[in-house]
Amino acid sequence: APTAVPSSFKPTTKPATPAAAPVEPVVEEPVVEEPVVDEPVVEEPVVEELGDFTDEQAKFEDVSWSKLPLSAREAAKAIGFDEKQWDEKEWLDIDDKHWEDLTDEETTACETLGWDAISWDEKYENQSWEDMPNHVQKAAEKLGWDQENWDDDWDTPTWEKGWEEFTEEEQRCLHVLGYCMQTWD
């Protein structure tokens, strides 16, 4: 009589493996190496323009701290600003100094922010029209001056307005001349 084989000893059958699909040969494309071009590292964000003037020409006066290019932010720190002071347009001790009294570090920082001795101390008031940079002439024109009334020191309706009465573009033009809210009113 046949002996019973426990189920754990029953042979298992493997399913048949399907026939392998034919392998198509791999054709490799020739590798064309592009020449490596060293692209300059861009550290500064794109400078915004409002009213035909760059942020630097407008002394970054209407640019929030978070939008300042790194170099401008570092320059602002070098002359005593932090984010809160910058965004709230606070008056700092440096604002009471004449250009000639600035330290070398302060002068460099102010130049980075778009200032020069004439815009810092005089707001171009003692400059002849011909001696002013083109962008300053353009800002003055937008505020009502031309060569004749500038050189002859005529007042324009601009002089009668308070800071808050100016449009954003007019304020930017005043920044180009070297004015800010505290120095205008």
Side-chain angles (χ1 to χ4, degrees), residues 34-90:
E34 297 289 325
V36 176
V37 178
D38 288 334
E39 294 191 30
V41 176
V42 179
E43 295 178 7
E44 303 282 324
V46 175
V47 175
E48 298 286 325
E49 288 194 27
L50 173 69
D52 302 322
F53 304 105
T54 66
D55 289 338
E56 184 177 355
Q57 289 170 336
K59 323 299 188 262
F60 296 94
E61 288 286 331
D62 51 8
V63 179
S64 69
W65 183 268
S66 64
K67 293 190 177 185
L68 283 175
L70 180 60
S71 61
R73 192 176 303 159
E74 292 301 317
K77 287 178 186 176
I79 59 173
F81 280 102
D82 62 23
E83 182 174 1
K84 180 180 181 289
Q85 292 166 319
W86 182 268
D87 285 341
E88 293 181 5
K89 312 287 185 228
E90 289 187 23

Side-chain angles (χ1 to χ4, degrees), residues 108-125:
T108 300
C110 288
E111 287 171 342
T112 300
L113 292 170
W115 294 94
D116 58 30
I118 296 167
S119 60
W120 184 267
D121 284 337
E122 300 176 13
K123 317 295 185 247
Y124 295 97
E125 290 180 18

